[in-house]
Amino acid sequence: MSTPDTPATAPPPKDAGGSPPLKRALGPKLLVLFVVGDILGTGIYATTGDVAGKVGGALWLPFAIGFAVALLTAASYVELVGKYPKAAGAALYTQRAFKIPFLTFVVAFMVMCSGLSSASAAARAFSGDYLGEFTDAVPPTLIAILFVLALAAINLRGVAESVKANVVLTLVELSGLAVILAIGAYAVFSGEGEPARLTQIETGGTGYALVTGVLGATALGFFAFVGFEDSVNMAEETKNPTRTFPRAIFLGVGITGTIYVLVALVSSLLVDSRTLAGSSGPLLEVVKAGGVDFPPKLFALIALFAVTNSALINIMMASRLCYGMANERILPPAMGKVLARRRTPWVGIVFVSVLAVGLVSTGEIEGLGDTTSFLLLCVFAVVNIAVLVLRRDPVEHRHFRTPTALPVLGAITSLVLASPLADRGSDVYVRAGILLLVGIGLWAVNKAVLAARAKSRADAG
């Protein structure tokens, strides 16, 4: 195992592919902030209104359910990253559990696409109503493209620089949510708002329609919780990952889940669901309705930083996923190339950035967010099953072990939220299906290239 104590005058050791290993730059505090920053952002700042449009005034309920589902799957990730502290995350766990290369590739591709669709949603949110507080003179698509390119440049510079930027942006976005909570506290003590809204569930029906409506709102709201799974892809850049990850992931999910439920309560208390649903900057509506003299432009600026953080993390994680898959021979070895000086996976960064530029021109925030949730819920079901299968693969070192009931419940809840019971639009399934077909095409091409190389070597021998 590489260590962070290699002398500065010595060249970094090489991995099996001839490239230097990734730099172990993340300690416990940075990793907690990384997880919190990865989860916070676009989901709560941009999709709160869409969730309100699905469920009505009981806006907190989908976030509370999503919080519970996230904790179930987080426990599985914590066990697996403790056993296998490597980059590639869900793809690595799938391959070890099932040893079916095609399934491994599909899972990895879905994770990558979920990150890119999430980053695209963030880019769209950046160019939406929050930016509209300052200007609407520049075409949103151009803003989104420049936005993605700037994040790619930060990622190429180095993981330490990227994570430090993440820390700053995390503190900024936390301050924005603190403003919302302070406004809510002021409203409660001054008798403002409509508490009756907090129990109103408006899904357009009763019985089955009521259940599917709540599940649909929960599936969309779950987009706000995605991100903790990205952190396991930083295992090779974390100091002592087996000990560091359990506390970091559980603290990160716990902090963000609590904040989300409180923000949802405040939002519904102060603003009716129709107004929230009609805005791509719903928390800005809360600031304007809160009766507190807080500058809307300042809050809009904070929100822009928040969605920037979401996109930064997703671009970073997708590139590390490319690196990990290349090392596992799921993608061509070239995808694992690392800059010798910066020790960042430059080919992976360029690849995912190009894909993100293509995605920012497709879909709206709600559709991209729901696509992200759907893809990851499918992946989470596989991961929760994998943790049970891999109990037959003990390792020599000690690591966290989750109670068996949690991954079982995690798999069931993930499948339910990914199913048509969640009442999502057909466009989400169409978009995901197209992405999967693209992935299958890439798999076929990659397999053909590997077969051709093997034949060439055999002929030469």
Side-chain angles (χ1 to χ4, degrees):
M1 179 179 293
S2 61
T3 71
D5 302 319
T6 303
T9 55
K14 303 286 186 177
D15 63 14
S19 294
L22 300 179
K23 184 177 180 180
R24 293 191 181 275
L26 305 183
K29 294 179 180 178
L30 270 181
L31 188 60
V32 171
L33 281 172
F34 182 89
V35 174
V36 171
D38 201 357
I39 299 174
L40 291 178
T42 303
I44 194 69
Y45 276 91
T47 62
T48 300
D50 295 319
V51 175
K54 284 179 172 287
V55 77
L59 176 59
W60 58 273
L61 182 59
F63 288 105
I65 298 173
F67 183 16
V69 175
L71 280 175
L72 293 173
T73 300
S76 293
Y77 270 98
V78 168
E79 176 171 337
L80 291 169
V81 75
K83 289 181 72 172
Y84 315 110
K86 298 285 186 180
L92 172 63
Y93 312 145
T94 302
Q95 180 60 26
R96 285 184 176 270
F98 305 108
K99 296 179 174 56
I100 304 174
F102 179 72
L103 176 62
T104 301
F105 181 82
V106 168
V107 167
F109 190 78
M110 291 176 78
V111 172
M112 180 185 296
C113 288
S114 72
L116 294 177
S117 62
S118 179
S120 298
R124 276 299 188 185
F126 185 91
S127 59
D129 286 353
Y130 289 121
L131 185 62
E133 283 289 309
F134 301 96
T135 181
D136 57 2
V138 183
T141 301
L142 176 59
I143 292 174
I145 291 173
L146 295 175
F147 177 77
V148 169
L149 294 177
L151 297 182
I154 294 174
N155 269 305
L156 283 169
R157 183 165 178 81
V159 66
E161 287 78 2
S162 298
V163 173
K164 288 175 182 176
N166 166 252
V167 169
V168 173
L169 293 173
T170 296
L171 295 176
V172 171
E173 65 189 0
L174 279 171
S175 71
L177 298 178
V179 168
I180 296 296
L181 297 181
I183 289 174
Y186 173 82
V188 169
F189 286 114
S190 62
E192 299 292 331
E194 294 290 339
R197 277 200 293 259
L198 301 180
T199 59
Q200 295 174 351
I201 300 179
E202 303 165 0
T203 59
T206 59
Y208 178 80
L210 176 64
V211 172
T212 58
V214 172
L215 288 176
T218 300
L220 178 57
F222 193 76
F223 172 54
F225 288 96
V226 301
F228 67 86
E229 78 287 347
D230 285 339
S231 64
V232 301
N233 292 308
M234 302 301 290
E236 293 184 51
E237 294 168 274
T238 300
K239 302 171 185 176
N240 198 353
T242 300
R243 294 185 59 185
T244 302
F245 268 95
R247 178 174 295 183
I249 291 182
F250 285 131
L251 272 177
V253 174
I255 290 169
T256 52
T258 301
I259 291 173
Y260 282 175
V261 173
L262 292 174
V263 168
L265 284 167
V266 171
S267 299
S268 185
L269 180 70
L270 295 178
V271 184
D272 67 88
S273 59
R274 291 183 181 179
T275 302
L276 290 172
S279 174
S280 63
L283 298 190
L284 190 59
E285 301 296 333
V286 178
V287 171
K288 292 177 179 178
V292 177
D293 189 19
F294 190 89
K297 287 186 181 295
L298 177 57
F299 186 83
L301 183 62
I302 292 172
L304 291 175
F305 279 119
V307 298
T308 297
N309 200 31
S310 292
L312 172 65
I313 294 297
N314 277 288
I315 294 290
M316 186 189 305
M317 289 307 99
S319 65
R320 268 59 182 185
L321 181 56
C322 283
Y323 169 84
M325 286 192 294
N327 284 344
E328 292 292 320
R329 298 183 179 181
I330 300 170
L331 286 178
M335 301 297 292
K337 287 187 176 180
V338 175
L339 282 175
R341 182 177 178 184
R342 291 292 178 183
R343 295 170 69 181
T344 52
W346 71 272
V347 175
I349 292 170
V350 171
F351 176 71
V352 300
S353 298
V354 169
L355 290 180
V357 167
L359 283 172
V360 294
S361 60
T362 64
E364 299 298 327
I365 294 173
E366 179 180 354
L368 291 170
D370 212 351
T371 301
T372 303
S373 293
F374 171 72
L375 291 169
L376 281 180
L377 285 165
C378 293
V379 172
F380 288 173
V382 175
V383 169
N384 280 301
I385 296 171
V387 77
L388 298 174
V389 173
L390 288 170
R391 294 280 172 84
R392 300 176 300 183
D393 180 32
V395 294
E396 295 181 359
H397 60 272
R398 297 181 63 183
H399 61 85
F400 173 86
R401 181 184 171 101
T402 184
T404 301
L406 299 189
V408 172
L409 290 173
I412 293 171
T413 54
S414 296
L415 288 171
V416 168
L417 290 176
S419 74
L421 287 174
D423 192 33
R424 59 174 51 86
S426 59
D427 62 301
V428 173
Y429 295 108
V430 170
R431 186 181 294 112
I434 292 173
L435 289 173
L436 184 57
L437 288 175
V438 171
I440 292 172
L442 288 174
W443 163 262
V445 169
N446 187 53
K447 189 173 182 180
V449 169
L450 291 176
R453 289 178 180 178
K455 184 176 184 301
S456 177
R457 286 193 298 267
D459 291 343

